[in-house]
Amino acid sequence: MKILIAFLVVLISLLQYRLWYGDGSFKQTEKYQLQLDQLQQQLALKQQRNKALEAEVLDLRKGKEAIEETARHDLGLIRQDETFFQVIE
C-alpha cells in the first residue's frame, strides 16, 4: 500500500511539474497568447492598409481624376491654362 501511495505521489508530482514548467505550461501558454495578440494587431494594421490600397486601385481604374490628382501631387504637374504660384515662407 505504501508503494502505491508513493507511486501516486511521484506521478502527481511529475504531472504538476509538466503543468507548471514543461511543454504547454501556463507560462508558455501565456507567452503564446501575447505573441498571438501582437500578430493580431499587426494583421489588423495590414488589413487596413490593404483596404486603403484596394480603394486607391479601384479609384485609379475608374477615372482620370485620381490619375490627375496623383500626377499633380507626385510630379507637380499643372495644366496649360493654370498659373503656378510657389509660396516660400
Side-chain angles (χ1 to χ4, degrees), residues 6-62:
F7 176 73
L8 290 176
V9 167
V10 169
L11 182 64
I12 290 173
S13 298
L14 288 174
L15 291 174
Q16 285 292 315
Y17 175 81
R18 186 163 185 220
L19 177 68
W20 292 101
Y21 302 109
D23 289 337
S25 66
F26 287 127
K27 289 182 181 180
Q28 192 175 31
T29 304
E30 186 176 316
K31 178 182 165 185
Y32 288 152
Q33 186 63 43
L34 289 174
Q35 287 179 348
L36 179 63
D37 293 340
Q38 290 174 351
L39 290 174
Q40 285 175 341
Q41 288 175 353
Q42 291 175 359
L43 176 64
L45 290 174
K46 291 183 186 229
Q47 285 176 338
Q48 287 177 348
R49 181 174 173 258
N50 284 348
K51 285 181 183 178
L53 289 173
E54 183 180 359
E56 185 177 347
V57 166
L58 289 175
D59 194 28
L60 286 171
R61 286 183 182 169
K62 282 185 180 179

